[in-house]
Amino acid sequence: MRMSVPAKVAVYALVVVSVLVVMFPLIWMVLSAFKTNGEIVDPDAPLVPSSWQWSNLATAWHAAPFGRFFLNTALFSVVTTVGQVATGMLAGYAFAMFDFPGKRVLFYLVLSGLMIPFTVVLLPVVDLLAHLHWVDTYQGLIVPNLASALGAFLFRQFFLTAPAELGEAARIDGAGVWRVFWSVYRPLATPMVASFTIIAFLQNWNNFLFPLIVTNSQRLMMVSQGLTVFQAQVNKVSYNVLMAGSLISVVPILVVAMIAQRRIVDGLALGAVK
Amino acid sequence: MSGSGGKPGRGPERAGGYVFVAPVLVLTLVFSVVPLLYVLRRSLYVGNVFDLDLRFAGLDNYREVLTGDGGPALLNTAVYTVGFVLVSMLLGMGVALLLDVRLPGLAQVRAFFIIPVVVPAVATALIWFTLFQPNSGLFNRVLGGVGLPQVSLDDQHTAMLAVIAFGAWQFFGEVVILYLAALKGLPGDVLEAAEVDGAGAWQRLRYIRLPLLRQQTALIAVVATLTGLQAFTQIKVLTNGGPQGATRTALYYVYEQGFNLGAGGSSGRADAMAMILFVVSLVVTLVQLAIIGRAAR
């Protein structure tokens, strides 16, 4: 497509505007995190802090156990993501590659999990966890999130397109069911595993509603829920410390996002079948 | 769905099949399917706070939901979802069309738009909470500067606007990514032929690209609708469903009724509303499957 110079300028100008639309809240957060509170509540104060208050970060960090929150979030995200990838890949592989009685019914059962939003079954799941005495425990947080019906669905789609001859050849060479899966087909799925892993990880890291209703002690809290406690703790008008806390909480995931940018884009594109 | 040809269901494979699907199957049954049946059953009963003395009540819970606070909550969900879908799709499609132009540097800009999607929504909602502060928040400084009335989270009439604005800002990057993937799939030769025939950029968009994107647009709209129906974080952080229930959505109603049993909540009403939410989501999902099915043909 050949474009005239004014058209190019217009495109770049619009792109700059749209980047500003997406970035201004984050810029506002960073600027506010380093202001004095007086500067924030003064409508006539300039947008950039007159002197950068680095101590706000320390104040925020000590106002809530952020270290603990991060540790809990990392533990929860890593364990549930590994679980979702592993169980999803195994089930998807079996649904695509094996024949066994009842396969169709079992697949529809798993698919129904895809159609039941977690928010709908919130209350009975919490009741169940209460019966197990799992409320406010790590297992209560983690076990209900170990499987992903979406993962099973996506991996089934993937393995349906994998060549059958590879497995046949390995089987003739004497490889068993597990060997064929592990050494032949699992390596094929690596790009799919990478995209699904990053998306599942981000979703688990940012999970808010489930931890909110299953935990209530700070010992177990994840970053998102911890932030709401932090919000209640810092005086409601200490907006600078509030923004410093927000800044602390977004940094780790921003680093991940920068490193895994391409994978995130691929993973989000999978979202159309979500 | 039947296994691809030439793969006999041999003994070890049969056993393998059951073992491989067992983890997902068991967890789905225990934490989704069976709980849904519970929700359905309990939505038909009334009882006290501790679920003792349950008594069959037919559709009483549903009637109470629809005639009480639940009716406005459903309306709020509709308003939120429609606003959220429209704004995020228009923004997302516009930005995707911009970034799809072949000019140096535009491919790299894409990264900015995934940031709101991937950072914790509680953190970004807190930012918007300060942006909407009366007088000193950035939005109200700008609105005040040009002589417009302020948008406040404490005002019944503007709180929903604020919640929709945040939701669309947080999500539209995902729409950008989905549209960029769809645009990449368009047949380049058709567009080139149109250009050779003298069709301008607007005509190519209006008569060729948008019609070709119709199916993808429908699919993205479904994904956005499901996301909109599930909105929770920003409502919890920005408004707690207030003021006076102005931003209380169906899901927020479930949360309030279900987890404030001591404060006049009722699990029967929560479950009835959850069932309504389920049926709405199910209809939307069936539309989605129909679109995917048609695309596969």
Side-chain angles (χ1 to χ4, degrees):
Chain A
M1 251 185 276
R2 249 167 245 108
M3 291 182 77
S4 62
V5 173
K8 281 184 193 172
V9 172
V11 168
Y12 279 120
L14 283 172
V15 168
V16 169
V17 170
S18 47
V19 168
L20 277 178
V21 166
V22 85
M23 292 304 288
F24 79 87
L26 296 150
I27 298 168
W28 170 265
M29 167 183 73
V30 174
L31 295 175
S32 303
F34 293 101
K35 288 179 182 174
T36 65
N37 214 37
E39 275 178 294
I40 291 190
V41 294
D42 175 6
D44 302 317
L47 290 177
V48 177
S50 50
S51 72
W52 292 68
Q53 307 291 316
W54 288 90
S55 61
N56 289 347
L57 285 180
T59 310
W61 181 266
H62 293 299
F66 275 103
R68 183 84 205 197
F69 295 161
F70 280 131
L71 211 63
N72 289 334
T73 315
L75 177 76
F76 173 84
S77 320
V78 169
V79 176
T80 54
T81 303
V82 169
Q84 288 164 13
V85 173
T87 60
M89 182 154 58
L90 283 176
Y93 179 77
F95 282 129
M97 299 298 228
F98 296 163
D99 275 327
F100 48 93
K103 180 165 101 164
R104 187 184 271 271
V105 175
L106 297 185
F107 180 67
Y108 282 128
L109 272 176
V110 170
L111 210 57
S112 71
L114 208 57
M115 295 182 206
I116 303 170
F118 171 71
T119 50
V120 168
V121 293
L122 215 57
L123 299 170
V125 167
V126 172
D127 286 352
L128 173 63
L129 294 178
H131 277 295
L132 295 170
H133 300 289
W134 278 11
V135 171
D136 218 21
T137 64
Y138 281 113
Q139 63 268 35
L141 267 176
I142 290 172
V143 173
N145 291 294
L146 279 178
S148 151
L150 175 65
F153 179 76
L154 290 174
F155 277 108
R156 171 177 170 269
Q157 299 290 90
F158 176 84
F159 284 118
L160 280 177
T161 64
E165 305 80 53
L166 291 177
E168 301 292 336
R171 217 167 287 139
I172 290 165
D173 290 346
V177 168
W178 177 257
R179 270 289 295 282
V180 172
F181 164 71
W182 187 258
S183 336
V184 179
Y185 286 105
R186 184 194 52 87
L188 277 186
T190 304
M192 178 71 202
V193 169
S195 299
F196 181 68
T197 299
I198 187 73
I199 287 308
F201 181 82
L202 291 170
Q203 258 172 23
N204 293 325
W205 184 281
N206 293 332
N207 197 339
F208 175 53
L209 182 54
F210 186 74
L212 177 70
I213 57 169
V214 175
T215 58
N216 41 46
S217 54
Q218 293 205 0
R219 192 172 55 81
L220 289 157
M221 272 183 198
M222 290 166 53
V223 160
S224 292
Q225 189 190 0
L227 260 182
T228 61
V229 172
F230 169 78
Q231 178 192 17
Q233 260 169 19
V234 305
N235 186 334
K236 258 216 165 181
V237 289
S238 290
Y239 296 127
N240 53 352
V241 177
L242 197 61
M243 288 301 94
S246 298
L247 179 59
I248 291 170
S249 71
V250 301
V251 166
I253 214 73
L254 265 187
V255 173
V256 171
M258 273 191 288
I259 296 170
Q261 197 208 112
R262 276 213 65 88
R263 284 291 169 206
I264 294 175
V265 170
D266 291 347
L268 286 179
L270 291 175
V273 294
K274 187 161 56 182
Chain B
M1 178 59 231
S2 64
S4 18
K7 283 184 214 125
R10 302 170 311 151
E13 212 167 73
R14 235 181 231 214
Y18 294 120
V19 174
F20 278 31
V21 302
V24 167
L25 189 67
V26 170
L27 287 163
T28 303
L29 284 176
V30 173
F31 294 110
S32 287
V33 178
V34 174
L36 181 70
L37 299 177
Y38 262 88
V39 174
L40 174 61
R41 196 186 96 96
R42 295 199 315 195
S43 73
L44 303 174
Y45 284 79
V46 290
N48 68 12
V49 171
F50 299 103
D51 277 358
L52 303 169
D53 310 324
L54 281 181
R55 149 175 89 66
F56 185 75
L59 296 177
D60 281 2
N61 285 321
Y62 290 86
R63 202 170 301 127
E64 262 180 60
V65 165
L66 294 175
T67 55
D69 286 345
L74 281 166
L75 192 66
N76 285 339
T77 302
V79 170
Y80 174 83
T81 304
V82 169
F84 166 82
V85 171
L86 278 180
V87 177
S88 61
M89 293 221 19
L90 283 174
L91 258 181
M93 181 195 251
V95 171
L97 285 169
L98 268 180
L99 297 187
D100 192 50
V101 176
R102 270 176 208 89
L103 285 177
L106 293 193
Q108 283 71 42
V109 171
R110 198 176 57 173
F112 286 111
F113 295 92
I114 61 176
I115 292 176
V117 185
V118 301
V119 299
V122 173
T124 48
L126 281 178
I127 303 175
W128 282 64
F129 175 76
T130 68
L131 285 169
F132 281 120
Q133 286 312 301
N135 304 318
S136 60
L138 184 62
F139 285 136
N140 288 324
R141 282 195 199 196
V142 173
L143 289 172
V146 295
L148 285 170
Q150 300 211 345
V151 170
S152 166
L153 296 168
D154 301 323
D155 180 337
Q156 273 195 72
H157 305 288
T158 58
M160 181 58 93
L161 269 181
V163 174
I164 290 173
F166 171 81
W169 172 82
Q170 200 255 340
F171 180 76
F172 88 95
E174 183 157 346
V175 179
V176 172
I177 300 301
L178 294 175
Y179 263 120
L180 277 175
L183 284 165
K184 222 189 273 173
L186 292 186
D189 47 340
V190 175
L191 292 167
E192 250 166 59
E195 203 182 351
V196 171
D197 289 346
W202 169 250
Q203 284 172 313
R204 288 200 302 275
L205 176 63
R206 171 77 182 76
Y207 295 105
I208 302 176
R209 294 216 280 178
L210 289 186
L212 284 174
L213 287 173
R214 196 177 297 151
Q215 198 157 50
Q216 292 295 326
T217 299
L219 215 50
I220 296 170
V222 168
V223 173
T225 305
L226 289 174
T227 307
L229 291 172
Q230 304 291 324
F232 176 79
T233 304
Q234 61 268 46
I235 293 164
K236 174 82 182 144
V237 174
L238 291 177
T239 62
N240 270 312
Q244 283 99 53
T247 57
R248 182 191 289 123
T249 57
L251 175 56
Y252 207 80
Y253 178 92
V254 174
Y255 171 75
E256 277 182 343
Q257 293 288 329
F259 293 96
N260 290 301
L261 293 179
S266 131
S267 64
R269 283 199 293 272
D271 288 318
M273 184 60 113
M275 278 312 291
I276 296 174
L277 201 54
F278 169 67
V279 171
V280 174
S281 312
L282 187 66
V283 169
V284 178
T285 308
L286 291 177
V287 170
Q288 175 185 30
L289 289 179
I291 298 169
I292 293 175
R294 204 188 303 162
R297 243 181 282 144

